[in-house]
Structure formats: C-alpha cells, structure tokens
C-alpha cells in the first residue's frame, strides 16, 4: 500500500504543533483536532494517546495529561502498534493504533509520526517553562517587569484597571537589614511578603511584581488599598539567626498612583515610581502622585545631565551681593552667589542647587565658586582695586568631602589671595552626624586664617547651642527674622534685640540679610546690627556691575 508519511493531514498536524504560540495547555486540544484526519490518511482503524508528563521541578502551572481514543472508525483490528517514550522526569507519552492488516510501511509511518509528536511536545514543554521564567521573578515567584506588563496591558486597554491603585514599594533600610541578618534572611523577607500578598489579594485581582532588589510594583483595586496598607504596616517576619529566632519588623516606603480611564502602563510605572522618589527623599512614607512631581523629575534629570558640560563651559557665573555698613553707607563686604546662565537665561540657584545637593554634585560647584572668586580677587588686586572680604556658601552636603579645607585652601593659594579676604558661610542646620565633621572643617579653616560665618542664623532650632559649640566669627541673621520686623516691642523684635546684644557681647560680628526697607535698616542699626545685606542696598550683582561699587566706595552715600 502506498502511504506517504508526509500526507497533507500529517503536514497540517506538524505545522500546527510547531507553532511558537503553543503552550503546555494547548497540546491535548491539538492532538484531538488533528488525530482523526491523520489516522484516516494512514489507513488506521483506531488511534489513541496516553500522555502523562509531570512538571519539571521549579516549573509553574500543571503538567501535560490526557488519555483516550482520538479516532476509531469501528473497523477490523488485525494489528496493534504501540510506541512509548519516557521523559526525563518520569513521565511518558504513549501512542497506540490498530489497523485492519499488518503493514510494515504503515507501522513505520505511525512510528515516525509518533516520534515527531514526542519531540514537538518536548519543545512545547520547554517553551512553556522558559516563558514562565521570563515573566516571573525567580526568587519570590512574583511577576517580573515583563510579566506585569503582559498581565496588565490588556486589562488597562480594556478599561478594567481604572479603579485600581498602583504602588511602587520599597523596604526601608533593606541594605542595612541584609547586612545585619544576612542575605538568605533578607531573601526570606522578600519571599514572605509576596506570599502574604498573594494569599490576601491573589484571587481578587491583586498583582505583584518584583523589579529587582527590594523594589516591588503592585496593582490592586482602590478599595483594597487600606487592607494592603494594613498588611504593610503590620508586616513582621520571623528569621532564624545565630542567636535563635528573632522577629523582624519591616517598614515600607511607597509611591501611589490612582489609575484613570486613560492611564497607560508606562504612565502607571512612571507615576508611581516618581511618587516613590518623593517618599524616598523623606517627604512621607506613603506619597500619592501629583503632576508637579513629574515636572520636577524632568527638571532634575535635565539639571543632572547638563551640569557637567555647563560647568566645563563656565556657564555658572558668580554674582556679588554687597554688604553695607549702614552708619556710614560704606561697602564692607559681599556674598558670592551663583547663577547659571543657560541660553542667555539667568537660572536662580534654588532651581539647581537642591538637585546638585541631592545627587552629590554640589561640591564641584562650590569649589568652582571658590576658584572664580579667588580669580576675580586676583584681578582686582592686580588692577589696584582694593577688594572687600567675600563670603562663599559651602553646602552641608560638602561636609563629607575628604580634605575639604585643604581643597579650598589650595585654590585660594593658587591665586595668592590673603586668607582674611575669604569668608566661608555654613548654615546652622545640621544633624548630630554632621556636627563632628562641621566642627573639624571650621577648626581647620580657622587655623588657616579664614573667617567663618553662620548662615541663616535663627532659622533652625539649635541656634543658642550653636553659638556655644561653634566659634564663628560672624552671624548672619536669617531673612525670616527681619521680614516682619516693625519695632522692637513685638515678640520677634524682643528676641532679635537680645540676640544681637548677646552676639555683640560674645564679640561675634553680626549681619542682617534680606533687608529691603529703610525702616528695617533703622530698626537694625538701633539694636546694634550695623552691617546690612539686602535689596535695600543692592541685589546680587554681576561682576562688571559690582566692580563699579568696588571702585567707588562712596556709591551708597551718593544715592
Ligand atoms: P543664602 O545663602 O541665604 O543667600 C541669600 C539669598 O537671599 C540670595 O538668594 C539672595 O539673592 C537673597 N536675597 C538677598 N537680599 C534679599 C532681599 O532683600 N530680599 C529677598 N527676598 N531676598 C534677598 P539666591 O542668590 O537666590 O540664593 C539662594 C540660595 O542658594 C542661597 O541662600 C544659598 O543657600 C544658595 N546658593 C547660592 N549660591 C550658592 C553657591 O555657590 N553654593 C551653595 N552651596 N549654595 C549657594
Ligand atoms: Ca549664604
Ligand atoms: Ca542666608
């Protein structure tokens, strides 16, 4: 009998089984669909399969299992063909057929076809496992990023996720926890969290993905949020350590984003992680997304990306704000304040300094300002213009920079500038961690002959202790102090009067900043604060304009 192995029906079956879309769950259906035609083409009376392939350890879902007759035309059964394959994990696939006559060609065709089916089933099995791996996080069994995308995109597109809240979650101090209790216990915390989340929300459309480390993204129905926050707030894990069992309390930080009708997956991810960035910066542990956060983030990125080139291109300019002695209207000093000139636009420091401080680049800028001021001073000295003492701002973020005093000193010395012409402003706000570093820096700078001033004095809580601990040369009264000041009989007035009195008695210089009106000037001079910095005299001036004030010391008397 002439029976081509590759008849049309066999080709159709092989094609269908080869499709890359097939997963374990499709195998039974494929066999049921294609077996009857194939059996008929091979001239068989009946054909049946017995498939029992358990899952390999670590794989997810259910194995492959089916058994039964898939074709039977009720005809005569003179011969029986059986082909059995064993799988590596103890499973088997058995194909059985009967035929009206014993035909070696027909037997060979049946065996070949069965072998092909076995190979294709094996391939489908592996693809299914790989597929599962590519969408799940191996450690916790949560989804991974692509898994989350694959799960949520269809739901978002069909509008089913609009009443959901998405969260970007992170465990507080996880690095520290890991160091303390060891990685395996750290892993246990992560696994336990996913397990409890799935137990509580799994069947009710809660999705959890781990993006790596201790970063998770969750999407759940908005009304379940309070339940989730309860889980997070009370989350404890028992771990076993060298000293026996211990219970670890885990704290979370998260950014929340409530999905709307037209949120996309990418928006969801961007918005909840953007809100998380705010949580991380210390705003609160749970921060809900608001549109301004995204604008801020764009701005932050832009600053960070453009900063290195901008500083190279000397786009940062130093402006000088005069300090004037009110009793005789003499220019007695200046504060160096930084501006960023970008495409002809003057960007004020509050738009870039906080970003640079947050990401650790401020030191570069501060030393750049030291360099610019020293360079300007050299020019004044060389031109025979007598300079005034200039104060520079050193961010508290700079305190951890090694050898900062030496770095400043090296720059000043490279222009051969007398040290008493340079004053370093440090803000009075500092944490207990920062205090030793701050004292060290102050002492080193003072030993080198630089003046130290305490900026924004009165804005923090530590004001009085500060005076005792830090031997500053100058106190700069914060603008907030002066802003609402009318006379010395108000509460603020009394405080200010006494502060100035005390500072004077301690032989510390005092200067008021942010002074805008003649009344403020006369009030301040009345209580013994003579030196004034503020719009009343001048705004921070570009170098060329400041040069005019330097060359004409009578400028303010002539106004
Ligand atoms: P700051 O050190 O307290 O500087 C004083 C700020 O008050 C300056 O703002 C100044 O322009 C402003 N100001 C002066 N007089 C008046 C006034 O009469 N009325 C009002 N409303 N404001 C007045 P600016 O230049 O925008 O600087 C803001 C802050 O940026 C500074 O506060 C300082 O903390 C920081 N900064 C500026 N340049 C540098 C720098 O080179 N390095 C570091 N680390 N920080 C800098
Ligand atoms: Ca300052
Ligand atoms: Ca200040």
């Amino acid at each position: 009998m002439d029976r081509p192995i590759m008849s049309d029906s066999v080709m159709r079956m092989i094609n269908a089984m080869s499709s890359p879309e097939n997963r374990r769950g499709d195998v039974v259906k494929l066999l049921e669909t294609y077996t009857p035609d194939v059996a008929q083409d091979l001239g068989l009376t009946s054909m049946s399969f017995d498939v029992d392939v358990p899952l390999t350890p670590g794989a997810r879902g259910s194995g492959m299992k089916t058994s039964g007759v898939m074709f039977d035309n009720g005809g005569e059964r003179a011969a029986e063909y059986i082909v059995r394959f064993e799988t590596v994990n103890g499973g088997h696939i058995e194909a059985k057929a009967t035929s009206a006559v014993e035909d070696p060609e027909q037997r060979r065709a049946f065996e070949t076809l069965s072998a092909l089916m076995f190979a294709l089933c094996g391939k489908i099995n592996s693809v299914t496992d790989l597929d599962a791996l590519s969408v799940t996080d191996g450690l916790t069994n949560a989804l991974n990023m692509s898994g989350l995308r694959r799960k949520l995109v269809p739901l978002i597109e069909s509008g089913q996720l609009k009443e959901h809240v998405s969260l970007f979650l992170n465990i507080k101090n996880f690095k520290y926890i890991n160091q303390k209790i060891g990685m395996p216990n750290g892993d246990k915390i992560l696994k336990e969290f996913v397990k409890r989340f799935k137990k509580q929300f799994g069947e009710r459309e809660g999705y959890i993905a781990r993006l790596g480390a201790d970063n998770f993204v969750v999407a759940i129905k908005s009304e379940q949020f309070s339940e989730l926050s309860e889980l997070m707030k009370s989350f404890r894990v028992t771990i076993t350590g060298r000293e026996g069992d211990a219970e670890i309390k885990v704290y979370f930080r998260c950014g929340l984003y409530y999905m709307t009708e037209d949120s996309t997956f990418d928006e969801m991810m961007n918005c909840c992680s953007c809100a998380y960035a705010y949580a991380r910066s210390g705003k609160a542990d749970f921060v809900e997304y608001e549109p301004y956060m995204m604008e801020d983030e764009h701005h932050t990125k832009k600053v960070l990306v453009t900063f290195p080139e901008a500083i190279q291109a000397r786009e940062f300019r130093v402006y000088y704000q005069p300090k004037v002695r009110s009793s005789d209207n003499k220019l007695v000093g200046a504060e160096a304040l930084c501006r960023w000139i970008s495409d002809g636009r003057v960007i004020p420091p509050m738009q870039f300094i906080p970003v640079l401080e947050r990401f650790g680049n401020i030191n570069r800028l501060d030393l750049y300002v030291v360099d610019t001021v020293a360079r300007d001073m050299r020019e004044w000295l060389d031109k025979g213009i007598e300079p005034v003492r200039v104060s520079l701002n050193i961010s508290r973020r700079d305190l951890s920079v090694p050898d900062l005093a030496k770095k400043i000193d090296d720059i000043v010395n490279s222009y051969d500038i007398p040290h008493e012409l340079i004053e370093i402003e440090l803000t009075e706000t500092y944490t207990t961690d920062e205090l030793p570093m701050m004292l060290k820096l102050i002492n080193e700078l003072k030993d080198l002959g630089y003046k130290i001033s305490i900026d924004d004095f009165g804005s923090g809580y530590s004001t009085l202790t500060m005076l005792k601990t830090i031997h500053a040369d100058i106190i700069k009264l914060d603008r907030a102090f002066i802003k609402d000041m009318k006379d010395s009989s108000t509460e603020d007035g009394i405080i200010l009067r006494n502060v100035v009195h005390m500072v004077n008695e301690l032989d510390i210089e005092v200067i008021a900043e942010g002074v805008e009106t003649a009344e403020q000037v006369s009030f301040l001079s009345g209580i013994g604060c003579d030196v004034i910095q503020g719009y009343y005299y001048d705004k921070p001036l570009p170098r060329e304009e400041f040069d005019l004030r330097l060359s004409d010391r009578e400028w303010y008397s002539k106004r």
Side-chain angles (χ1 to χ4, degrees), residues 139-389:
L139 178 72
T140 61
N141 267 352
L143 296 162
N144 64 15
M145 182 67 158
S146 19
L148 187 69
R149 182 184 286 276
R150 205 189 281 184
K151 273 254 164 26
L152 295 194
V153 165
L155 295 177
I156 291 173
E157 281 172 357
S158 64
Q160 289 178 65
L161 232 52
K162 63 174 182 285
E163 269 129 31
H164 281 62
V165 58
S166 63
L167 292 92
F168 189 106
L169 293 176
N170 180 278
I171 295 174
K172 267 193 193 174
N173 302 323
F174 188 64
K175 207 171 127 195
Y176 173 71
I177 295 178
N178 252 334
Q179 278 167 5
K180 223 178 133 195
I181 64 174
M183 287 276 264
N185 278 320
D187 287 352
K188 186 174 174 194
I189 293 178
L190 303 175
K191 285 192 241 180
E192 195 59 32
F193 178 62
V194 172
K195 204 168 121 194
R196 288 197 218 166
F197 178 92
K198 283 185 166 173
K199 192 165 160 226
Q200 213 161 326
F201 303 101
E203 282 94 58
R204 284 182 290 153
E205 290 199 0
Y207 301 92
I208 182 161
R210 175 171 171 253
L211 309 186
D214 58 330
N215 295 315
F216 293 94
V217 171
V218 155
I220 54 158
K221 289 216 175 90
S222 303
E223 71 248 28
Q224 282 161 12
F225 174 66
S226 59
E227 213 179 302
L228 174 61
S229 80
E230 272 316 304
L231 168 70
M232 289 193 283
K233 282 177 187 155
S234 60
F235 186 55
R236 286 162 205 276
V237 180
T238 308
I239 55 135
T240 313
R242 258 176 266 133
E243 289 107 44
D245 283 0
E247 201 178 44
I248 302 272
K249 172 91 184 78
V250 180
Y251 296 90
F252 289 88
R253 265 198 200 106
C254 69
L256 289 92
Y257 170 66
Y258 285 90
M259 316 269 286
T260 64
E261 199 109 12
D262 28 45
S263 319
T264 63
F265 180 80
D266 289 341
E267 250 160 39
M268 177 193 98
M269 290 302 299
N270 289 339
C271 294
C272 66
S273 62
C274 183
Y276 168 70
Y278 271 79
R280 193 188 45 199
S281 70
K283 203 175 172 194
D285 286 345
F286 288 61
V287 173
E288 189 183 330
Y289 173 78
E290 286 175 55
Y292 78 85
M293 295 177 179
M294 195 61 82
E295 285 156 32
D296 275 12
E297 193 171 278
H298 289 317
H299 172 74
T300 301
K301 282 202 184 119
K302 206 172 140 204
V303 168
L304 290 176
V305 168
T306 43
F307 175 72
E309 263 182 46
I311 198 158
Q312 203 93 50
R314 301 197 74 84
E315 284 183 15
F316 294 91
R317 297 279 161 75
V318 172
Y319 278 44
Y320 293 91
Q321 186 172 34
K323 296 172 183 169
V324 180
R325 188 162 59 210
S326 62
S327 55
D328 57 3
N329 284 321
K330 280 258 161 60
L331 175 76
V332 292
E335 176 175 5
L337 292 156
C338 198
R339 303 287 181 265
W340 184 347
I341 317 291
S342 173
D343 299 328
R345 229 163 41 91
V346 181
I347 308 175
M350 286 336 259
Q351 285 185 26
F352 57 88
I353 283 182
V355 175
L356 298 178
E357 286 188 324
R358 219 166 90 214
F359 291 90
N361 311 3
I362 187 68
N363 183 242
R364 221 176 135 199
L365 182 70
D366 283 346
L367 291 179
Y368 169 95
V369 173
V370 175
D371 185 87
T372 311
V373 169
R375 181 192 297 228
D376 286 350
M377 282 213 174
R378 184 76 262 150
E379 264 184 58
W380 292 322
L381 290 165
D382 289 348
K383 281 186 189 156
I385 303 173
E386 193 196 333
V388 287
R389 187 168 80 205

Side-chain angles (χ1 to χ4, degrees), residues 321 335 337-339 349-350 353 362 366 369 393-395 425 455-456 479 513-516 534-535 540:
Q321 186 172 34
E335 176 175 5
L337 292 156
C338 198
R339 303 287 181 265
M350 286 336 259
I353 283 182
I362 187 68
D366 283 346
V369 173
N393 292 281
I394 292 292
S395 164
E425 293 193 11
D455 200 2
D456 304 341
R479 179 164 81 233
E513 69 176 335
V515 177
E516 295 181 352
Y535 295 172

Side-chain angles (χ1 to χ4, degrees), residues 264-540:
T264 63
F265 180 80
D266 289 341
E267 250 160 39
M268 177 193 98
M269 290 302 299
N270 289 339
C271 294
C272 66
S273 62
C274 183
Y276 168 70
Y278 271 79
R280 193 188 45 199
S281 70
K283 203 175 172 194
D285 286 345
F286 288 61
V287 173
E288 189 183 330
Y289 173 78
E290 286 175 55
Y292 78 85
M293 295 177 179
M294 195 61 82
E295 285 156 32
D296 275 12
E297 193 171 278
H298 289 317
H299 172 74
T300 301
K301 282 202 184 119
K302 206 172 140 204
V303 168
L304 290 176
V305 168
T306 43
F307 175 72
E309 263 182 46
I311 198 158
Q312 203 93 50
R314 301 197 74 84
E315 284 183 15
F316 294 91
R317 297 279 161 75
V318 172
Y319 278 44
Y320 293 91
Q321 186 172 34
K323 296 172 183 169
V324 180
R325 188 162 59 210
S326 62
S327 55
D328 57 3
N329 284 321
K330 280 258 161 60
L331 175 76
V332 292
E335 176 175 5
L337 292 156
C338 198
R339 303 287 181 265
W340 184 347
I341 317 291
S342 173
D343 299 328
R345 229 163 41 91
V346 181
I347 308 175
M350 286 336 259
Q351 285 185 26
F352 57 88
I353 283 182
V355 175
L356 298 178
E357 286 188 324
R358 219 166 90 214
F359 291 90
N361 311 3
I362 187 68
N363 183 242
R364 221 176 135 199
L365 182 70
D366 283 346
L367 291 179
Y368 169 95
V369 173
V370 175
D371 185 87
T372 311
V373 169
R375 181 192 297 228
D376 286 350
M377 282 213 174
R378 184 76 262 150
E379 264 184 58
W380 292 322
L381 290 165
D382 289 348
K383 281 186 189 156
I385 303 173
E386 193 196 333
V388 287
R389 187 168 80 205
V390 172
S391 61
L392 302 150
N393 292 281
I394 292 292
S395 164
R396 41 195 280 232
R397 294 296 168 116
D398 292 339
L399 291 175
S400 54
V401 173
D403 303 323
L404 182 59
K406 184 172 184 305
K407 284 184 174 134
I408 295 172
D409 192 48
D410 286 348
I411 297 172
V412 175
N413 292 340
S414 72
Y415 293 95
D416 197 15
I417 305 299
H419 294 184
E420 65 274 12
L421 284 176
I422 302 289
E423 171 183 328
I424 304 294
E425 293 193 11
L426 294 158
T427 53
E428 70 153 349
T429 36
Y430 58 84
T431 62
T432 19
D433 297 352
E434 288 166 346
L435 186 61
M437 295 191 279
M438 182 149 168
L439 290 176
K440 182 170 173 279
L441 177 68
I442 290 176
N443 289 334
E444 287 171 356
L445 288 169
K446 283 187 71 152
D447 285 348
L448 291 165
Y450 297 100
K451 297 275 184 218
I452 301 294
S453 60
I454 300 304
D455 200 2
D456 304 341
F457 186 84
S459 64
Y461 300 101
S462 47
T463 303
L464 290 180
T465 2
M466 184 86 190
L467 276 183
K468 245 184 73 178
T469 346
I470 290 171
H471 301 280
D473 302 290
I474 302 117
I475 291 297
K476 295 192 82 176
L477 299 174
D478 191 48
R479 179 164 81 233
F481 244 143
I482 285 115
K483 221 172 59 196
D484 311 312
M485 196 58 48
K486 298 231 165 44
D487 60 78
S488 55
S489 63
T490 61
E491 212 170 73
D492 280 354
I494 295 167
I495 296 174
L496 196 56
R497 178 156 44 86
N498 284 289
V499 166
V500 172
H501 182 72
M502 183 173 62
V503 171
N504 280 335
E505 280 218 326
L506 289 168
D507 218 14
I508 298 172
E509 289 176 38
V510 58
I511 170 170
E513 69 176 335
V515 177
E516 295 181 352
T517 65
E519 291 80 63
Q520 290 169 340
V521 175
S522 70
F523 168 74
L524 285 161
S525 76
I527 61 168
C529 176
D530 235 8
V531 185
I532 304 288
Q533 175 187 343
Y535 295 172
Y536 175 71
Y537 285 111
D538 259 323
K539 293 197 165 174

